Protein backbone atom coordinates (compact mmCIF):
# COMPACT_ATOMS: atom_id res chain seq x y z
CA UNK A 1 0.00 0.00 0.00
CA UNK A 2 1.25 3.49 -0.81
CA UNK A 3 0.38 6.56 1.15
CA UNK A 4 0.26 10.31 0.72
CA UNK A 5 2.16 11.95 3.54
CA UNK A 6 0.96 15.45 4.33
CA UNK A 7 2.41 17.85 6.85
CA UNK A 8 -0.47 20.03 8.00
CA UNK A 9 1.48 23.14 8.99
CA UNK A 10 -1.41 25.55 8.56
CA UNK A 11 -4.29 23.31 9.75
CA UNK A 12 -5.81 23.66 6.28
CA UNK A 13 -5.98 20.13 4.88
CA UNK A 14 -7.70 21.36 1.71
CA UNK A 15 -4.90 23.76 0.79
CA UNK A 16 -3.42 21.89 -2.17
CA UNK A 17 -4.36 22.46 -5.78
CA UNK A 18 -6.47 19.29 -5.88
CA UNK A 19 -10.15 19.70 -6.59
CA UNK A 20 -12.51 19.21 -3.65
CA UNK A 21 -13.77 15.98 -5.28
CA UNK A 22 -10.20 14.70 -5.55
CA UNK A 23 -9.51 15.61 -1.93
CA UNK A 24 -12.64 13.83 -0.75
CA UNK A 25 -11.64 10.76 -2.79
CA UNK A 26 -8.11 10.84 -1.34
CA UNK A 27 -9.28 11.18 2.24
CA UNK A 28 -11.88 8.46 1.75
CA UNK A 29 -9.44 5.85 0.44
CA UNK A 30 -7.27 3.69 2.65
CA UNK A 31 -4.27 4.76 0.56
CA UNK A 32 -4.48 8.36 1.75
CA UNK A 33 -2.91 9.19 5.08
CA UNK A 34 -2.60 12.73 6.38
CA UNK A 35 0.13 13.13 8.95
CA UNK A 36 0.32 16.23 11.08
CA UNK A 37 3.59 17.90 11.97
CA UNK A 38 4.80 16.94 15.44
CA UNK A 39 3.58 19.36 18.12
CA UNK A 40 7.15 20.39 18.90
CA UNK A 41 8.02 21.24 15.28
CA UNK A 42 8.10 24.93 14.51
CA UNK A 43 6.39 25.83 11.22
CA UNK A 44 8.62 27.53 8.72
CA UNK A 45 7.88 31.02 7.53
CA UNK A 46 9.53 30.22 4.19
CA UNK A 47 9.46 27.19 1.90
CA UNK A 48 8.14 23.96 3.40
CA UNK A 49 7.46 20.45 2.16
CA UNK A 50 3.70 19.99 2.47
CA UNK A 51 3.28 16.59 0.78
CA UNK A 52 5.40 13.65 -0.29
CA UNK A 53 3.97 10.87 -2.47
CA UNK A 54 6.51 8.05 -2.76
CA UNK A 55 6.20 4.87 -4.79
CA UNK A 56 4.17 6.39 -7.61
CA UNK A 57 3.66 4.01 -10.52
CA UNK A 58 4.31 0.91 -8.42
CA UNK A 59 1.74 -1.88 -8.06
CA UNK A 60 -1.08 -0.61 -5.88
CA UNK A 61 -0.18 3.08 -6.26
CA UNK A 62 -2.96 5.63 -6.66
CA UNK A 63 -0.81 7.88 -8.85
CA UNK A 64 1.64 6.92 -11.57
CA UNK A 65 4.46 9.20 -10.39
CA UNK A 66 6.20 10.32 -7.21
CA UNK A 67 5.79 13.94 -6.19
CA UNK A 68 6.85 16.47 -3.59
CA UNK A 69 4.70 19.53 -2.98
CA UNK A 70 6.35 22.72 -1.71
CA UNK A 71 4.55 25.68 -0.17
CA UNK A 72 5.76 29.26 0.28
CA UNK A 73 4.48 30.20 3.74
CA UNK A 74 6.00 33.69 3.56
CA UNK A 75 4.50 37.00 2.51
CA UNK A 76 6.96 37.42 -0.37
CA UNK A 77 8.02 35.40 -3.43
CA UNK A 78 10.92 32.97 -2.89
CA UNK A 79 13.30 31.93 -5.66
CA UNK A 80 14.04 28.24 -6.10
CA UNK A 81 17.34 29.03 -7.85
CA UNK A 82 20.23 27.17 -6.20
CA UNK A 83 17.87 24.90 -4.23
CA UNK A 84 17.14 21.20 -4.70
CA UNK A 85 15.00 18.29 -3.62
CA UNK A 86 17.21 15.55 -2.23
CA UNK A 87 16.40 11.95 -1.42
CA UNK A 88 18.17 9.33 0.68
CA UNK A 89 17.12 5.77 1.43
CA UNK A 90 15.55 5.13 4.81
CA UNK A 91 18.81 3.90 6.35
CA UNK A 92 21.24 6.42 4.85
CA UNK A 93 23.07 8.87 7.12
CA UNK A 94 25.46 10.18 4.48
CA UNK A 95 25.51 12.86 1.79
CA UNK A 96 22.57 12.56 -0.58
CA UNK A 97 23.39 11.26 -4.05
CA UNK A 98 19.84 11.63 -5.40
CA UNK A 99 19.84 15.39 -5.96
CA UNK A 100 17.30 17.18 -8.16
CA UNK A 101 18.12 20.88 -8.70
CA UNK A 102 15.07 23.12 -8.90
CA UNK A 103 14.57 25.70 -11.66
CA UNK A 104 15.40 29.38 -11.11
CA UNK A 105 11.77 30.45 -10.77
CA UNK A 106 10.00 32.17 -7.89
CA UNK A 107 7.18 30.64 -5.88
CA UNK A 108 4.68 33.41 -5.14
CA UNK A 109 3.67 34.19 -1.57
CA UNK A 110 1.31 31.53 -0.13
CA UNK A 111 1.52 29.43 -3.30
CA UNK A 112 2.39 25.81 -4.05
CA UNK A 113 5.04 24.33 -6.35
CA UNK A 114 4.71 20.71 -7.45
CA UNK A 115 7.90 18.70 -8.10
CA UNK A 116 7.10 15.58 -10.11
CA UNK A 117 9.22 12.46 -10.11
CA UNK A 118 9.59 9.40 -12.28
CA UNK A 119 6.46 7.70 -13.52
CA UNK A 120 5.55 4.05 -13.71
CA UNK A 121 2.98 1.79 -15.32
CA UNK A 122 0.43 1.74 -12.49
CA UNK A 123 -1.89 4.43 -11.17
CA UNK A 124 -3.38 7.50 -12.77
CA UNK A 125 -1.83 10.84 -13.61
CA UNK A 126 -1.85 13.38 -10.80
CA UNK A 127 -4.84 15.75 -11.28
CA UNK A 128 -2.55 18.75 -11.81
CA UNK A 129 0.58 18.88 -13.97
CA UNK A 130 3.89 19.16 -12.15
CA UNK A 131 5.61 22.55 -12.22
CA UNK A 132 8.88 20.69 -12.85
CA UNK A 133 9.60 17.00 -13.50
CA UNK A 134 12.69 15.36 -12.02
CA UNK A 135 14.17 11.87 -11.77
CA UNK A 136 12.95 11.50 -8.17
CA UNK A 137 12.21 7.84 -7.42
CA UNK A 138 11.46 7.76 -3.68
CA UNK A 139 11.07 4.50 -1.78
CA UNK A 140 7.40 3.56 -1.54
CA UNK A 141 7.30 2.80 2.17
CA UNK A 142 10.34 4.49 3.76
CA UNK A 143 12.85 7.21 2.94
CA UNK A 144 14.13 10.72 3.56
CA UNK A 145 13.23 13.73 1.44
CA UNK A 146 14.65 17.16 2.06
CA UNK A 147 14.54 20.60 0.53
CA UNK A 148 18.10 21.92 0.45
CA UNK A 149 19.57 25.36 -0.09
CA UNK A 150 22.16 23.73 -2.34
CA UNK A 151 22.15 22.28 -5.85
CA UNK A 152 24.68 19.65 -4.77
CA UNK A 153 24.29 16.77 -2.32
CA UNK A 154 24.43 17.56 1.38
CA UNK A 155 24.40 15.48 4.55
CA UNK A 156 21.26 16.46 6.44
CA UNK A 157 22.29 14.66 9.62
CA UNK A 158 20.78 11.58 11.24
CA UNK A 159 18.27 10.61 13.89
CA UNK A 160 16.45 13.63 15.31
CA UNK A 161 19.64 15.67 14.75
CA UNK A 162 18.76 17.18 11.37
CA UNK A 163 21.37 19.87 10.76
CA UNK A 164 19.52 23.14 10.18
CA UNK A 165 22.39 25.17 11.65
CA UNK A 166 24.51 25.17 8.49
CA UNK A 167 21.64 26.77 6.58
CA UNK A 168 21.60 24.02 3.97
CA UNK A 169 18.49 22.09 5.08
CA UNK A 170 15.36 24.16 4.54
CA UNK A 171 12.86 21.41 5.36
CA UNK A 172 13.08 17.67 5.94
CA UNK A 173 10.69 14.72 5.90
CA UNK A 174 11.59 11.21 7.10
CA UNK A 175 8.90 8.55 6.65
CA UNK A 176 8.41 4.86 7.34
CA UNK A 177 11.51 3.41 9.02
CA UNK A 178 13.71 6.41 8.17
CA UNK A 179 16.83 6.73 10.31
CA UNK A 180 16.54 10.54 10.19
CA UNK A 181 13.55 12.70 11.05
CA UNK A 182 12.76 16.09 12.56
CA UNK A 183 11.33 15.12 15.93
CA UNK A 184 9.62 11.76 15.43
CA UNK A 185 9.68 9.39 12.49
CA UNK A 186 6.43 9.36 10.49
CA UNK A 187 4.79 5.96 10.37
CA UNK A 188 1.36 4.70 9.24
Amino acid sequence: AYEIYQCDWSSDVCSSDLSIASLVALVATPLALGLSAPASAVPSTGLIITEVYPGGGNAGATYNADFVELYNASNAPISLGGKSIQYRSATSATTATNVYPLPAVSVPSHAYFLVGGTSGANGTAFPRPADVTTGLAAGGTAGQVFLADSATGINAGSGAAIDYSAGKVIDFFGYGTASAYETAVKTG
Side-chain angles (χ1 to χ4, degrees):
Y2 296 96
E3 304 167 317
I4 292 179
Y5 296 93
Q6 180 173 357
C7 296
D8 186 5
W9 295 102
S10 65
S11 298
D12 181 9
V13 295
C14 297
S15 60
S16 74
D17 290 333
L18 293 172
S19 69
I20 296 299
S22 296
L23 283 169
V24 170
L26 284 174
V27 171
T29 67
L31 294 175
L33 175 63
L35 296 174
S36 296
S40 60
V42 178
S44 171
T45 57
L47 287 171
I48 57 175
I49 297 171
T50 53
E51 291 186 53
V52 173
Y53 184 80
N58 293 347
T62 301
Y63 295 114
N64 67 358
D66 293 356
F67 69 81
V68 175
E69 183 185 69
L70 304 177
Y71 177 70
N72 178 357
S74 78
N75 291 324
I78 297 177
S79 174
L80 296 178
K83 295 172 178 49
S84 63
I85 293 292
Q86 301 194 14
Y87 172 79
R88 299 190 301 193
S89 70
T91 58
S92 178
T94 62
T95 299
T97 57
N98 299 292
V99 179
Y100 309 100
L102 296 170
V105 298
S106 288
V107 179
S109 172
H110 303 288
Y112 294 88
F113 189 87
L114 188 63
V115 180
T118 58
S119 61
N122 298 299
T124 60
F126 192 65
R128 160 192 176 321
D131 294 303
V132 65
T133 301
T134 68
L136 175 66
T141 58
Q144 304 170 49
V145 175
F146 44 105
L147 175 61
D149 196 12
S150 174
T152 59
I154 64 169
N155 187 338
S158 61
I162 300 305
D163 186 9
Y164 291 97
S165 65
K168 295 291 184 188
V169 177
I170 299 169
D171 201 9
F172 185 93
F173 195 84
Y175 61 97
T177 57
S179 62
Y181 42 88
E182 285 186 307
T183 56
V185 69
K186 297 296 179 189
T187 61

